Amino acid sequence: RVWTKDELTKLGDICLKYKVTVVSDEIHGDFTYDGYTHHVFANIKPEFSKIAVTCTAPSKTFNIAGLQVSNIFIEDTALRKAFINEYNKSGYSQLNSLGLVACQAAYEHGREWLDELKIYLKSNLDYARSFFAERLPQIKLIEPQGTYLIWLDCSDLGLSDEELNDIIINKAKLWLDSGTMFGKDGEGFQRINIACPRETLKRALEQLENAVKNI
């Protein structure tokens, strides 16, 4: 889901009313599909920025998660000081030089690369959608509004989550995210990352297809 401005406004108003701090993870904000717009929560209303901890990173967008660099914006002075105090206690308060340089380079020079990446991801999504519709209709692709992590509804297979995971890991030889890691509502679902070369995606879906056919 890509939350709409109206949805974020309603959420923010409730949080203001009850003095709730909002930690807004915007890490996938660069990836939205046609017809959807990413809205930064803290920018919806000036009042929201006073209760917001906005988290961003170049890691998902530019594939540099291993460099362990992210950005946290906190406008409210008291909230920012409290955060820094807790952060310093963690003993993990120093970023590495390579991560800092990579972050700067990505934000200053990565626009052309990102634009081409989004076109490629859209084509991967189109390929996956067609594959499931034509060759694996038992598995339903949940149409995403954003991100390259695609949800698959496997409930029509009639398997328990343990059986489903066994088939995916041991038969299809894939490592997906089981929906159960997100709670009860994730039962019967799997999540797949399509941010990969087309050949890798093609091979993974064919392995899944063969495993399902042999149930």
Side-chain angles (χ1 to χ4, degrees):
R1 285 288 318 282
V2 174
W3 286 38
T4 67
K5 188 174 182 179
D6 285 344
E7 288 173 327
L8 291 171
T9 300
K10 292 177 181 177
L11 170 71
D13 287 339
I14 292 171
C15 292
L16 278 175
K17 179 179 179 180
Y18 293 101
K19 297 181 173 57
V20 174
T21 298
V22 176
V23 179
S24 184
D25 183 355
E26 316 269 352
I27 196 169
H28 285 279
D30 290 319
F31 300 105
T32 57
Y33 293 105
D34 293 343
Y36 300 98
T37 301
H38 170 245
H39 299 281
V40 177
F41 172 77
N43 291 346
I44 300 294
K45 282 185 177 182
E47 303 94 311
F48 293 176
S49 66
K50 303 298 183 183
I51 62 170
V53 176
T54 303
C55 306
T56 72
S59 54
K60 299 296 185 186
T61 304
F62 298 99
N63 196 26
I64 56 174
L67 299 181
Q68 300 182 15
V69 60
S70 62
N71 319 292
I72 297 181
F73 303 89
I74 306 174
E75 182 174 322
D76 183 77
T77 301
L79 182 57
R80 184 169 63 254
K81 287 182 177 179
F83 174 86
I84 292 174
N85 183 51
E86 292 299 318
Y87 182 63
N88 287 336
K89 292 178 184 177
S90 71
Y92 194 66
S93 58
Q94 303 300 318
L95 294 173
N96 65 80
S97 297
L98 184 58
L100 290 170
V101 172
C103 179
Q104 182 176 354
Y107 286 147
E108 290 184 350
H109 307 292
R111 169 54 65 181
E112 182 179 358
W113 182 87
L114 175 58
D115 290 342
E116 292 181 7
L117 171 65
K118 291 169 75 171
I119 293 171
Y120 194 91
L121 289 177
K122 176 63 165 56
S123 69
N124 269 1
L125 174 61
D126 293 339
Y127 176 82
R129 184 190 301 108
S130 297
F131 189 99
F132 284 108
E134 297 168 9
R135 296 171 59 172
L136 262 180
Q138 310 97 310
I139 297 179
K140 305 295 190 299
L141 184 149
I142 306 301
E143 196 64 35
Q145 298 176 2
T147 88
Y148 47 75
L149 299 170
I150 308 305
W151 283 95
L152 305 176
D153 182 354
C154 306
S155 55
D156 283 352
L157 295 176
L159 303 172
S160 68
D161 285 287
E162 291 76 14
E163 292 170 330
L164 179 60
N165 287 330
D166 178 67
I167 287 173
I168 289 174
I169 296 172
N170 297 313
K171 303 298 192 301
K173 305 299 183 182
L174 300 175
W175 187 268
L176 308 184
D177 287 329
S178 175
T180 54
M181 68 186 290
F182 298 95
K184 187 172 179 58
D185 288 340
E187 293 178 359
F189 288 84
Q190 294 282 326
R191 193 176 71 168
I192 184 171
N193 186 341
I194 63 169
C196 57
R198 173 65 59 79
E199 185 58 33
T200 301
L201 178 62
K202 178 176 181 291
R203 185 168 66 250
L205 296 185
E206 288 175 349
Q207 289 173 204
L208 181 60
E209 177 188 26
N210 290 333
V212 169
K213 284 183 176 179
N214 290 318
I215 293 177

